[in-house]
Amino acid sequence: MSSFDDSDAFEQASLSARAMAARGVDYLDDLNPAQRAAVEQLDGPVLMLAGAGTGKTKALTVRIVHLLKTGTARPDEILAVTFTNKAAREMKDRVGGMLGQPAEGMPWLGTFHAICVKLLRRHAELIGFDRDDVVIESADDRVHLKSNFTILDTDDQLRLLKQLVQAAGIDDKRWPARMLAGIIDDWKNRALTPDKVPAGDAGAFNHKGVELYAQYQRRLVELNAVDFGDLLLHMVCIFQASPDILEQYRRWFRYILVDEYQDTNVAQYLWLRLLAGGHRNICCVGDDDQSIYGWRGAEVGNILRFEKDFPGAKVVRLEQNYRSTPHILAAASNVIRGNENRLGKELWTEAQDGEKVRLIGHWDGEEEARWIGEEIEAMQGGTRRARPFGLDEMAVLVRASHQMRAFEDRFLTIGLPYRVIGGPRFYERMEIRDAMAYFRVVVSPEDDLAFERIVNTPKRGLGDKARQTIQATARAQGVPLLRGAAIAVENGLIKGKGGAALRDLVTGLARWGRMVGDAGVTHIELAEIILDESGYTAMWQNDKTPEAPGRLENLKELVKALEGFENLQGFLEHVSLIMENDAGDAGAKVSIMTLHAAKGLEFPAVFLPGWEDGLFPSQRSMDETGLKGLEEERRLAYVGITRAEEVCTISFAGNRRVYGQWQSAMPSRFIDELPEDHVEVLTPPGLYGSTGGSMGGSTPAPTVDSRAARADVYNSPGWKRMQARAARPGQSTGLSQPRESRTVVIDAEAVSSFARGERVFHQKFGYGEITGIEGDKVEVAFEKAGTKKVVARFLSASDDIPF
DNA sequence: GAGCGCCGTTTTTTT
DNA sequence: AACGGCGCTC
């Protein structure tokens, strides 16, 4: 609100900006021509296609500075949107740094969600419904949001949905609330209110999806709550329904900047298009080749369509890369070239040659982890060709988080310090949610979901029965649960220990509530009082599980985090939007993370393990969305390779344990797409016959040297067979050979090569006899390991064994 | 109401 | 394999 009213501060700010502008625009000098073009075109639609490592953030920040310093816009007239808080913070810092003063004067630089919260708080009353089924008599005949609405987290959302699913008489086992949450989320991402859900989606969730969605939206309003999707959805609805309000903001936000435009979903796209509709001063920055969030509603189409949406748009390509060696760029470029749907960019660099992308194949996942662990240790000391790398200069990037375990296990055993990025986030941990729920109830006694969470945490002897009593009382009186609980206690409806404990809780909450505005108690002290007097701290102190001490630590951290805020409300607001990752622990460590988490980061040395068909590209992705999915996987490969500055090492394993079962796999088709000239195939130590995949004719022929003597397990026919298949000669691109046909061949071969009663050999379990065959799975009675079901491909006829 | 054991699931993740 | 959720039993 303040930003709309007190414009004096901004007058002054822009005056000094003009003064600075008079001194010249030297900040433009260290931009390259493309960056400069994107910065200087201030008016009209601009699409900045910024490849990986091309100085995108720099161009974006300079553009903001340019808008300010030329006096084109005041700080509060610029709407600058990002996806993550991290990106927002970085931009704020950099703009502030360039201006030589904190950029706090930019109230509209933030994430989509943070900005929407601000807007929605001003117009909350526009979201609601007419009360047609009068249950509770009230002066209002319309139920609507209030500006102090709460933002539900996923947990609250699920609990609410589950209640609705059960109330609708649907078996929540066959139709889990999670699924419904996903469907609703999808609809919200597409800016579909219940009445706009297309007929084609009507069958969703046992034909009850739309109805439940409508009920859910109603309940949210009744609870004075919104979920994340609502933040955008509601604002789009308001803009669409109230042209005058839209007009007001169109006039206010004179310049719009959008970061990571390729990640926008339909709702965000509509929101932007509505706001930019008048002046069209919108600059979208993004990289279609790095769109990797299609599975959560992002539409690459938005960026591909930009010129159609904004005719006359200026499109600037940032293609000069300042991050990686030419070999790495060539590898990335060649892979991404396989995508049909892209605008097309070619990264180039002035950098010198550097090392080729390294490729190595391993027998199994453990072997791969072992090798990478050793390689990391070796690279710390420096190798013949490469400089020494610090641990924090190296990263292992995986496709799926379950792949991280192999590396954690391995690094733990060899004592290699590592850090996992993107693990369970601080504010998603149980104890933090519990504590926050206490704060929420204290601050807003009508927060039913929070009350439900804490009513029996710690255990107060309040089970289902007590809960039902409380709920019935509250419903009968038309009051929130906490008030209902108070009434139930007064009337002695809950007996025994539980009743006494509930009385304590209710009086406690009331007491703490009175302390919220009390000047004598800081909010930090209040937080401690709440956690102690409620018995929550004691609960963990008495807990003997190994996690308990850590949880107490986290609670301490939570209280410490309060220091940065003026009151509990402010903190709760912040947390519901931030969900920050507090991986701030110091010390040089190797980073392990998913490819998704790695977007936007860079490391001198990068390891990309698990490049096997089915794992990467992920089978599921291809099954669910076909070519679209494959292209997104390929972009993920592109993102992975372009994270590397100096050394990029790609690897695959022939066998891997997936969900407890051994599975063998082909090297990833993306490996076929790596350009031979820029790849060096490494030979694993002690491995005879390694070819490192289907690098075709250029692959150094495996040499029969002294290593042959050490060839033990790797010399098995199964391994050789896999190698032979992986190394089909003459296929350097892989494009000409459909992968499917190869897979079929292998399966047929594998299935047909064994018969019941045959004696076989298995790498892990030794010798055995086949007792049954089902498809490609074979039951084998092993001599030492007992009877097990294994994948046929993993077996070899025992007479093949050369020793 | 708490504890145990069975069953089903299992990509990627921000806000 | 490993975890979480649910239902059953005490």
Side-chain angles (χ1 to χ4, degrees):
Chain A
M1 269 147 257
S2 56
S3 46
F4 278 78
D5 305 332
D6 59 357
S7 41
D8 284 355
F10 299 115
E11 288 296 344
Q12 284 172 3
S14 57
L15 273 178
S16 62
R18 269 183 219 117
M20 276 186 268
R23 271 188 268 131
V25 286
D26 50 329
Y27 52 87
L28 293 176
D29 289 350
D30 54 325
L31 296 179
N32 66 38
Q35 290 171 331
R36 187 157 179 160
V39 165
E40 290 191 307
Q41 179 69 44
L42 292 179
D43 291 310
V46 175
L47 177 62
M48 200 195 297
L49 282 174
T54 56
K56 170 196 77 165
T57 312
K58 182 178 182 183
L60 204 45
T61 27
V62 175
R63 190 182 161 91
I64 293 176
V65 169
H66 196 52
L67 279 167
L68 297 174
K69 286 210 175 180
T70 55
T72 311
R74 298 186 316 210
D76 63 324
E77 291 175 331
I78 299 173
L79 174 65
V81 238
T82 65
F83 273 85
T84 63
N85 292 294
K86 200 176 151 210
R89 208 180 314 123
E90 189 183 344
M91 210 184 294
K92 233 172 210 174
D93 289 348
R94 287 179 72 157
V95 170
M98 284 192 70
L99 293 173
Q101 62 190 43
E104 276 319 310
M106 292 213 38
W108 302 104
L109 190 168
T111 63
F112 275 103
H113 291 85
I115 289 168
C116 282
V117 175
K118 254 186 176 172
L119 296 175
L120 191 56
R121 293 236 185 264
R122 317 173 97 229
H123 303 289
E125 73 289 347
L126 295 176
I127 297 297
F129 55 89
D130 294 326
R131 180 173 284 160
D132 44 28
D133 53 335
V134 180
V135 180
I136 309 151
E137 287 298 336
S138 147
D140 241 352
D141 62 344
R142 193 178 150 79
V143 186
H144 59 76
L145 279 183
K146 292 178 281 176
S147 91
N148 64 345
F149 59 78
T150 51
I151 303 162
L152 298 194
D153 60 26
T154 337
D155 223 50
D156 296 327
Q157 202 185 340
L158 282 177
R159 243 168 321 135
L160 189 52
L161 284 171
K162 195 168 167 185
Q163 286 172 11
L164 292 174
V165 170
Q166 286 171 340
I170 296 173
D171 178 8
D172 64 335
K173 197 126 197 199
R174 273 189 60 200
W175 300 94
R178 277 187 71 100
M179 182 194 266
L180 182 59
I183 294 167
I184 291 178
D185 208 48
D186 190 54
W187 283 331
K188 288 185 176 177
N189 284 338
R190 286 154 60 196
L192 298 171
T193 47
D195 54 304
K196 292 217 193 79
V197 173
D201 288 10
F205 207 75
N206 203 15
H207 295 280
K208 292 269 178 58
V210 184
E211 192 187 322
L212 287 166
Y213 177 24
Q215 286 177 18
Y216 171 67
Q217 291 304 86
R218 244 167 192 259
R219 277 297 285 147
L220 286 178
V221 173
E222 283 166 3
L223 288 162
N224 194 30
V226 301
D227 65 20
F228 283 118
D230 283 335
L231 294 172
L232 272 140
L233 178 67
H234 286 337
M235 282 319 299
V236 168
C237 291
I238 289 171
F239 287 156
Q240 283 173 339
S242 318
D244 48 324
I245 291 178
L246 176 61
E247 194 50 40
Q248 176 195 341
Y249 288 106
R250 279 182 171 178
R251 277 202 293 269
W252 192 267
F253 300 134
R254 295 179 47 230
Y255 289 87
I256 301 176
L257 291 95
V258 190
D259 193 16
E260 307 280 15
Y261 188 61
Q262 78 283 351
D263 289 336
T264 49
N265 61 33
V266 173
Q268 288 155 342
Y269 164 79
L270 288 174
W271 187 86
L272 287 169
R273 223 180 55 171
L274 284 162
L275 283 170
H279 49 63
R280 304 203 317 150
N281 293 329
I282 181 167
C283 173
C284 293
V285 186
D287 182 356
D288 50 323
D289 293 334
Q290 290 188 69
S291 165
I292 54 173
Y293 285 107
W295 49 274
R296 66 175 198 215
E299 293 275 346
V300 216
N302 291 344
I303 195 167
L304 300 178
R305 234 185 18 245
F306 188 83
E307 287 175 273
K308 282 201 194 99
D309 289 335
F310 296 97
K314 182 180 178 78
V315 179
V316 183
R317 284 180 163 76
L318 266 48
E319 296 176 293
Q320 181 175 3
N321 177 288
Y322 298 96
R323 179 185 295 161
S324 314
T325 66
H327 286 310
I328 291 169
L329 292 184
S333 295
N334 215 58
V335 170
I336 199 65
R337 204 171 289 143
N339 273 7
E340 293 284 331
N341 296 306
R342 62 189 290 254
L343 295 166
K345 273 187 283 56
E346 189 79 26
L347 296 179
W348 60 276
T349 178
E350 288 174 349
Q352 297 301 303
D353 280 319
E355 238 187 296
K356 289 186 175 181
V357 169
R358 310 186 306 164
L359 177 65
I360 183 166
H362 299 281
W363 166 247
D364 65 11
E366 269 174 50
E367 179 64 25
E368 181 183 49
R370 189 174 312 132
W371 185 83
I372 289 179
E374 279 161 17
E375 187 65 11
I376 288 172
E377 288 186 323
M379 286 170 70
Q380 268 188 284
T383 55
R384 237 177 329 118
R385 279 173 306 183
R387 67 177 180 91
F389 291 91
L391 287 178
D392 45 8
E393 291 183 307
M394 299 189 268
V396 180
L397 312 182
V398 297
R399 173 65 183 86
S401 51
H402 65 76
Q403 289 172 262
M404 296 199 268
R405 252 200 65 180
F407 294 97
E408 289 195 62
D409 286 352
R410 186 63 203 157
F411 293 177
L412 231 34
T413 52
I414 62 174
L416 190 65
Y418 69 89
R419 153 179 33 219
V420 173
I421 311 277
R425 278 168 294 278
F426 184 69
Y427 291 111
E428 280 171 18
R429 289 173 203 170
M430 190 206 313
E431 65 278 14
I432 301 301
R433 302 188 109 120
D434 287 341
M436 304 257 304
Y438 270 101
F439 301 161
R440 276 165 59 189
V441 181
V442 170
V443 171
S444 2
E446 72 280 6
D447 192 332
D448 284 357
L449 290 161
F451 179 77
E452 276 181 31
R453 180 169 187 115
I454 53 129
V455 69
N456 198 33
T457 310
K459 301 269 182 284
R460 296 190 171 88
L462 297 164
D464 271 350
K465 235 179 104 193
R467 260 172 233 218
Q468 277 167 19
T469 310
I470 295 170
Q471 253 162 20
T473 312
R475 202 167 304 145
Q477 306 283 319
V479 294
L481 289 181
L482 172 57
R483 186 81 199 100
I487 295 169
V489 168
E490 280 161 28
N491 295 335
L493 296 176
I494 296 166
K495 309 225 168 7
K497 233 178 80 186
L502 185 59
R503 177 181 295 271
D504 286 348
L505 177 65
V506 169
T507 54
L509 286 168
R511 187 171 65 249
W512 304 322
R514 284 192 298 275
M515 293 163 84
V516 169
D518 186 343
V521 187
T522 70
H523 64 291
I524 297 169
E525 289 162 344
L526 176 57
E528 284 168 342
I529 290 172
I530 293 171
L531 294 179
D532 288 342
E533 293 186 3
S534 64
Y536 191 72
T537 320
M539 176 180 107
W540 289 117
Q541 280 163 348
N542 298 331
D543 190 298
K544 283 165 204 67
T545 58
E547 298 91 60
R551 297 195 194 271
L552 285 165
E553 271 307 302
N554 289 336
L555 288 172
K556 269 191 205 143
E557 242 179 89
L558 176 71
V559 172
K560 225 170 90 192
L562 288 166
E563 284 170 17
F565 297 84
E566 283 184 15
N567 50 43
L568 279 182
Q569 291 96 319
F571 178 71
L572 292 171
E573 167 89 328
H574 167 83
V575 169
S576 58
L577 286 173
I578 295 289
M579 293 289 181
E580 224 167 337
N581 192 358
D582 65 321
D585 52 338
K589 290 174 179 171
V590 179
S591 298
I592 305 174
M593 70 190 91
T594 63
L595 287 164
H596 285 89
K599 193 172 120 187
L601 305 179
E602 55 188 1
F603 298 89
V606 166
F607 290 88
L608 301 170
W611 280 43
E612 295 126 41
D613 253 43
L615 182 60
F616 187 44
S618 133
Q619 192 58 49
R620 188 157 164 184
S621 188
M622 293 186 292
D623 289 347
E624 282 173 9
T625 44
L627 180 65
K628 237 180 136 185
L630 176 62
E631 294 210 335
E632 184 152 312
E633 295 288 311
R634 191 175 278 113
R635 292 192 289 265
L636 216 35
Y638 173 80
V639 167
I641 297 170
T642 54
R643 295 312 95 193
E645 293 169 7
E646 297 169 51
V647 184
C648 178
T649 310
I650 295 170
S651 60
F652 61 91
N655 302 286
R656 202 175 280 282
R657 202 146 53 170
V658 185
Y659 302 137
Q661 292 250 277
W662 281 98
Q663 276 186 271
S664 50
M666 300 286 294
S668 170
R669 64 193 72 191
F670 299 148
I671 285 177
D672 295 345
E673 297 169 10
L674 296 168
E676 293 173 22
D677 295 348
H678 301 279
V679 173
E680 176 192 9
V681 180
L682 304 184
T683 309
L687 175 52
Y688 163 71
S690 152
T691 69
S694 43
M695 291 311 297
S698 78
T699 302
T703 47
V704 183
D705 57 15
S706 60
R707 284 188 185 130
R710 291 198 280 137
D712 38 55
V713 294
Y714 303 105
N715 204 14
S716 76
W719 173 245
K720 276 197 205 160
R721 243 181 265 164
M722 194 209 82
Q723 292 288 303
R725 283 184 204 113
R728 285 274 159 89
Q731 309 296 328
S732 56
T733 64
L735 292 175
S736 55
Q737 183 161 16
R739 178 69 56 162
E740 287 72 17
S741 65
R742 281 199 250 174
T743 310
V744 170
V745 170
I746 297 151
D747 283 345
E749 203 178 309
V751 171
S752 63
S753 23
F754 300 107
R756 198 183 283 256
E758 190 176 343
R759 190 173 147 79
V760 290
F761 178 76
H762 185 281
Q763 277 303 327
K764 293 278 162 190
F765 304 128
Y767 292 95
E769 189 177 304
I770 293 187
T771 53
I773 299 174
E774 310 165 19
D776 64 338
K777 289 195 192 66
V778 181
E779 192 180 70
V780 184
F782 290 105
E783 289 165 5
K784 290 192 178 122
T787 301
K788 293 197 188 304
K789 265 194 194 149
V790 296
V791 176
R793 268 171 279 162
F794 204 64
L795 292 170
S796 50
S798 72
D799 53 9
D800 278 82
I801 301 297
F803 40 81

